[in-house]
Amino acid sequence: MSTIESITLMLALVYSTSLLYWGGKKWGALVSGALLLGATLASFFWPLLLILLGAVLVVTAIGQYQPAFANAEGRPNAVREICQHFFALSMLLVGVQYAINAGLLYAGETPWLMRPDVGDAFLPIAGGIELKAILTLGLWDQNHPAAVVMLCVVLITGVVCKRAFCGWACPLGLAGEYLYKLRKRVIHAELLPPAWVDWPLRMVKYLLLAALLYLVISMPSASIPHYLSGNYHKVADLKMAVFFMMPSMVALIGFGMIFALAAWRRQGFCRYICPYGALLGIVSFLSPFKIRRNTQHCLIETKGMSCDKCTRACPANISVHTQKNIHSDECQACMRCVSACPKKQALQFSTRNGIPLSARGLLIVLLTIMFMLPLFAYVSGYWHSQTPNDIKIELIQKLDRIGH
Ligand code: SF4
Ligand code: SF4
């Protein structure tokens, strides 16, 4: 595991363990801490233990100087923003390291900088095919194991806590937020499209997802072993790296359109284009947690007021104040509506029978799923790509000629 990956993972898991502790869940913190330490020791990789100790020191220091962030109480919006920036910084560094690694391979040199395997998260088709291989053939791919691990991570977050991955962790969502704010500085108007334009545009991401799913589903199981051992799969990550590092004119136009969309409308990329967002939107219907408005506490029903603070806070333009339960596939469990609500208990992220999940609880669940699973995968030897560097050096020279 690369240093950036290790630091991100350890900080996130130590922080989630500390949140359990500060939230009064001492036993939960003990179990989480024991799992973390046990997995670290079982990895037999001493730098990971060193990074774990460093993460404990950092989180303890934060607890001393920033207690509000350390226990994530009272300021969920600030905590969410810090988490988003932390993940964005981590992914930026991962991207730079990935690019340097690919550049060295391209130059015919054995990379002195490790390839961060988490970059395989950007290979959703490979991840889907690998998942199909595991489920139908019991075959575990060794070239890009992190792709299927990260696909499962994203799916599990969706089943448990809706699109919280989008709202709390995705760096692309954060980048879109900045583009939107920049555009609003220049053109102040909201420029929201009418419903008859918005709805078909929202379907675009589902069409993209359907196309990706078709590629996975239509591949006969019998062809999968051949595909997974083939050169195309071995260099899928390098093809992606070259696609971003040396984009074609068509790709540049595509990027420009995506940037324009993100700047035009808040969460435009998440809402209209992102196939991962579409996948999470579908899976999120399975989540027992929803934003729920309690009419016995809401100011509208109890005081006859015309409050709509929750709706105005929602970046997805969901009409929260007119519904009891928010089932929308666009809800990213960001908790902005809950933070904006002036009436305690009027709005909660909870199950149908009223079990609430606070912002802190949501963050603990999200961080645990996002990082404990990759840690276990790493300790089990199913994280790091086994494709030798000499094969990559050979294949990267003829990337254009490598097809399915
Ligand atoms: S309904 Fe609430 S949690 Fe869902 S996206 Fe809107 S503000 Fe965020
Ligand atoms: S902000 Fe709270 S009190 Fe106001 S409408 Fe929404 S749920 Fe009701």
Side-chain angles (χ1 to χ4, degrees):
M1 192 173 274
S2 70
T3 308
I4 300 296
E5 288 171 290
S6 307
I7 292 175
T8 309
L9 184 143
M10 285 304 169
L11 279 174
L13 287 178
V14 171
Y15 181 51
S16 72
T17 305
S18 81
L19 288 181
L20 278 167
Y21 179 81
W22 289 112
K25 306 276 187 278
K26 303 270 181 351
W27 279 106
L30 197 69
V31 171
S32 176
L35 283 173
L36 182 52
L37 183 62
T40 307
L41 292 174
S43 72
F44 294 112
F45 184 52
W46 67 264
L48 204 57
L49 185 61
L50 221 57
I51 292 170
L52 170 61
L53 294 176
V56 171
L57 289 178
V58 169
V59 172
T60 309
I62 292 174
Q64 291 292 320
Y65 297 109
Q66 291 289 332
F69 175 69
N71 66 27
E73 265 309 271
R75 294 164 60 211
N77 287 339
V79 174
R80 190 190 56 253
E81 281 176 18
I82 292 171
C83 286
Q84 282 179 304
H85 284 83
F86 170 69
F87 291 129
L89 177 66
S90 170
M91 285 314 288
L92 183 71
L93 295 174
V94 160
V96 170
Q97 187 164 340
Y98 215 94
I100 294 173
N101 179 282
L104 289 166
L105 291 170
Y106 192 71
E109 292 175 32
T110 302
W112 45 266
L113 201 55
M114 207 174 166
R115 168 188 180 278
D117 291 282
V118 71
D120 286 347
F122 290 93
L123 301 175
I125 301 174
I129 293 171
E130 288 169 33
L131 187 57
K132 187 172 174 180
I134 292 169
L135 295 176
T136 60
L137 305 168
L139 176 67
W140 297 71
D141 174 60
Q142 297 299 323
N143 289 306
H144 299 294
V148 69
V149 174
M150 290 311 293
L151 179 64
C152 291
V153 163
V154 171
L155 285 172
I156 296 171
T157 63
V159 171
V160 178
C161 47
K162 284 183 72 78
R163 287 181 65 180
F165 177 85
C166 307
W168 288 74
C170 180
L172 299 180
L174 182 69
E177 192 76 18
Y178 273 111
L179 278 172
Y180 168 77
K181 281 182 184 159
L182 198 68
R183 195 276 291 165
K184 283 276 281 181
R185 279 189 179 197
V186 183
I187 306 169
H188 301 302
E190 198 55 62
L191 304 178
L192 281 180
W196 61 270
V197 176
D198 181 56
W199 193 85
L201 280 178
R202 278 174 59 195
M203 293 304 113
V204 171
K205 66 177 181 293
Y206 289 106
L207 287 177
L208 290 172
L209 174 67
L212 298 183
L213 285 177
Y214 174 76
L215 291 175
V216 175
I217 293 167
S218 66
M219 178 177 280
S221 293
S223 325
I224 292 180
H226 177 70
Y227 176 83
L228 292 181
S229 59
N231 287 341
Y232 184 84
H233 180 61
K234 282 182 185 145
V235 294
D237 57 328
L238 295 174
K239 276 184 172 280
M240 177 189 65
V242 170
F243 175 78
F244 284 109
M245 286 159 70
M246 292 179 254
S248 64
M249 187 50 76
V250 176
L252 281 175
I253 293 171
F255 292 157
M257 286 169 68
I258 288 173
F259 289 158
L261 198 61
W264 165 44
R265 147 154 219 164
R266 194 170 189 189
Q267 297 185 340
F269 175 72
C270 321
R271 191 177 178 93
Y272 298 140
I273 303 285
C274 182
Y276 259 130
L279 184 64
L280 281 171
I282 293 172
V283 172
S284 72
F285 287 113
L286 299 174
S287 169
F289 291 101
K290 307 272 180 272
I291 294 288
R292 298 181 199 273
R293 192 173 63 88
N294 188 333
T295 51
Q296 290 177 345
H297 293 280
C298 177
L299 294 174
I300 296 177
E301 283 83 3
T302 54
K303 297 263 185 336
M305 292 168 70
S306 57
C307 179
D308 65 350
K309 286 189 172 177
C310 45
T311 296
R312 280 188 281 133
C314 180
N317 284 96
I318 297 167
S319 180
V320 184
H321 73 293
T322 57
Q323 303 175 61
K324 273 183 152 184
N325 301 316
I326 306 300
H327 292 281
S328 170
D329 56 336
E330 301 299 344
C331 175
Q332 298 190 356
C334 66
M335 302 277 202
R336 285 182 176 95
C337 53
V338 178
S339 300
C341 177
K343 189 76 186 356
K344 210 165 180 259
Q345 293 186 328
L347 205 58
Q348 285 185 322
F349 190 54
S350 63
T351 61
R352 189 195 294 255
N353 50 3
I355 300 170
L357 191 62
S358 64
R360 175 166 60 195
L362 175 65
L363 190 54
I364 292 169
V365 172
L366 188 65
L367 293 178
T368 304
I369 298 170
M370 278 178 64
F371 293 97
M372 206 56 107
L373 207 68
L375 177 61
F376 287 163
Y378 173 70
V379 172
S380 322
Y382 199 68
W383 178 257
H384 185 54
S385 170
Q386 301 299 323
T387 316
N389 277 331
D390 51 346
I391 291 187
K392 287 186 193 169
I393 290 172
E394 181 196 331
L395 294 178
I396 200 169
Q397 308 305 328
K398 48 182 181 185
L399 268 191
D400 294 347
R401 284 170 277 142
I402 298 175
H404 296 91

